[in-house]
Amino acid sequence: MDEQTRMLQTLAGVNMAGHSVQGGMTLPPPHGHDGTDGDGRKQDIGDILHQIMTITDQSLDEAQAKKHALNCHRMKPALFSVLCEIKEKTGLSIRGAQEEDPPDPQLMRLDNMLLAEGVSGPEKGTGAAAAAAAAAASGGSSDNSIEHSDYRAKLSQIRQIYHTELEKYEQACNEFTTHVMNLLREQSRTRPISPKEIERMVGIIHRKFSSIQMQLKQSTCEAVMILRSRFLDARRKRRNFSKQATEILNEYFYSHLSNPYPSEEAKEELAKKCSITVSQVSNWFGNKRIRYKKNIGKFQEEANLYAAKTAVNAAHAVAAAVQNPSLFPFLGSSGSFNLPNSGDMYMNMQSLNGDSYQGAQVGANVQSQTGGYSDALGGNSLYSPHHLTANGGWHEAATPSSVTSPTEGPGSVNSDTSN
DNA sequence: CGCCATGATTATAT
DNA sequence: ATATAATCATGGCG
């Protein structure tokens, strides 16, 4: 804030000077001007300069009086015309100094950041109220919101300070601008001032003030950054989901392997069941999809496990109707099972899970590919990665040729491990 | 401590 | 807006 203070003082200085000029533009007492021209005028000018140099020492009342004296001075019209002439000469340089400043990229950056952080955006309530609302809104999934409430409280604190200061500056700027404009209007009685000049002056003032505002924005950004690094990084401190949550997510994933893209509603339900947030569910599925796809071999075991789990569920559902408790003999014994069966079972599960996944094509894929997989994986593979190629939505990344050797060494595909 | 698993973030494409 | 892919950074195990 040092810089700001300094600038304010600078501006205050200008202000003072302006004040004084207004009052102090006085001609010396009319003496000696009718003598020999040369010396008398020099002395006049010397007096004027002296008075100009000492105007800040004069009181306002005094200055007011002198101003009146100046306006009535008989030399005034002459002085005015001289000033006009001088102005004419310097006009070019002033006109040449016209600059259309483009929007400062730094300022834009700061603005964008403040907006993104919700500091400069629309008001969303203040302080504790916002935090409480946030905490209440997400109700059950307390974990996240409680950590957030503190963050939000601090953020809105920053936000409040920011807005207060900004408003203060804006007000000061307007006040000062008005003042200067009045001043210039007043002065235009004694010296020529074009509207353009006033405009220019106003522009200068605004630039000054916006540079002060930039300081404010800068410090606000810094504060937010610090806050973020403290809270967000803390939040980034990863906590593994509970075993149960992972179970539920995996169950969903493997039972919708052909299209592991839970709808918004499904995500909400999973989030509720797992006591995590919807975005965490999205993260999880995003990570899971990419990691599954990247190294299918690694997930075979898991896939089988959850296939079995789901199969048990399916069995429970079907058992009553079918009256066949030994529907899945492999669950109890280590005996092998035939792949066509597993394919069928998979299809059954799909339909049981309400997955509206097309059947015929996948069936064909199962038939044509599972043999190769079971060979490569040493058999007993419930799932094959055919979904990747069979289903349009679940990307076709792994081509059969590359997939048929999913047992490749770790790290060859997985860039994740190269950190 | 090194390594891998894993949740979160970022960059990019659609 | 959502998905993928890459990457970051930590948790947890041996």
Side-chain angles (χ1 to χ4, degrees), chain A residues 234-401:
Chain A
R235 192 181 52 168
R236 190 176 175 137
K237 272 199 166 91
R238 184 176 58 80
R239 291 180 59 95
N240 287 351
F241 296 154
S242 70
K243 203 84 184 145
Q244 200 184 358
T246 314
E247 292 264 298
I248 292 165
L249 293 167
N250 270 317
E251 238 167 75
Y252 188 99
F253 181 79
Y254 286 109
S255 65
H256 297 74
L257 197 53
S258 59
N259 187 34
Y261 297 86
S263 65
E264 198 55 37
E265 300 85 63
K267 279 183 198 171
E268 276 166 33
E269 196 182 321
L270 284 169
K272 204 188 293 177
K273 271 201 252 182
C274 300
S275 312
I276 58 178
T277 66
V278 172
S279 49
Q280 280 178 306
V281 174
S282 297
N283 283 342
W284 190 91
F285 274 88
N287 283 323
K288 192 71 184 181
R289 279 191 300 264
I290 195 70
R291 281 162 186 165
Y292 177 83
K293 192 165 78 175
K294 226 182 234 177
N295 195 350
I296 292 160
K298 200 170 65 183
F299 290 91
Q300 277 301 310
E301 208 176 320
E302 195 177 72
N304 291 343
L305 184 80
Y306 284 99
K309 251 185 220 296
T310 316
V312 171
N313 291 341
H316 282 314
V318 178
V322 175
Q323 297 285 337
N324 186 3
S326 58
L327 190 60
F328 307 108
F330 57 87
L331 288 178
S333 68
S334 59
S336 64
F337 49 91
N338 49 354
L339 284 162
N341 249 0
S342 71
D344 289 342
M345 184 190 73
Y346 172 66
M347 295 312 300
N348 285 337
M349 289 188 299
Q350 292 299 310
S351 53
L352 281 169
N353 280 292
D355 198 356
S356 63
Y357 178 56
Q358 76 277 22
Q361 204 184 357
V362 171
N365 270 316
V366 168
Q367 297 299 341
S368 63
Q369 288 192 6
T370 41
Y373 288 132
S374 56
D375 283 349
L377 298 166
N380 288 6
S381 166
L382 261 180
Y383 278 131
S384 59
H386 62 268
H387 318 291
L388 299 182
T389 53
N391 191 312
W394 181 209
H395 260 253
E396 84 305 317
T399 64
S401 58

Side-chain angles (χ1 to χ4, degrees), chain A residues 48-104:
Chain A
I48 291 172
L49 288 176
H50 180 254
Q51 291 211 19
I52 288 173
M53 297 307 279
T54 56
I55 46 180
T56 47
D57 298 333
Q58 299 163 356
S59 77
L60 268 176
D61 287 342
E62 209 179 333
Q64 205 69 22
K66 285 187 180 173
K67 189 171 73 180
H68 187 255
L70 169 65
N71 281 331
C72 301
H73 197 281
R74 62 191 171 84
M75 286 280 281
K76 191 208 157 188
L79 179 60
F80 195 89
S81 65
V82 167
L83 288 171
C84 277
E85 208 173 301
I86 292 169
K87 194 182 172 65
E88 193 80 9
K89 284 179 189 163
T90 58
L92 278 175
S93 63
I94 289 173
R95 242 176 272 129
Q98 290 279 4
E99 77 264 43
E100 278 301 319
D101 55 333
D104 186 351

Side-chain angles (χ1 to χ4, degrees), chain A residues 126 214 302:
Chain A
T126 47
M214 194 154 105
E302 195 177 72

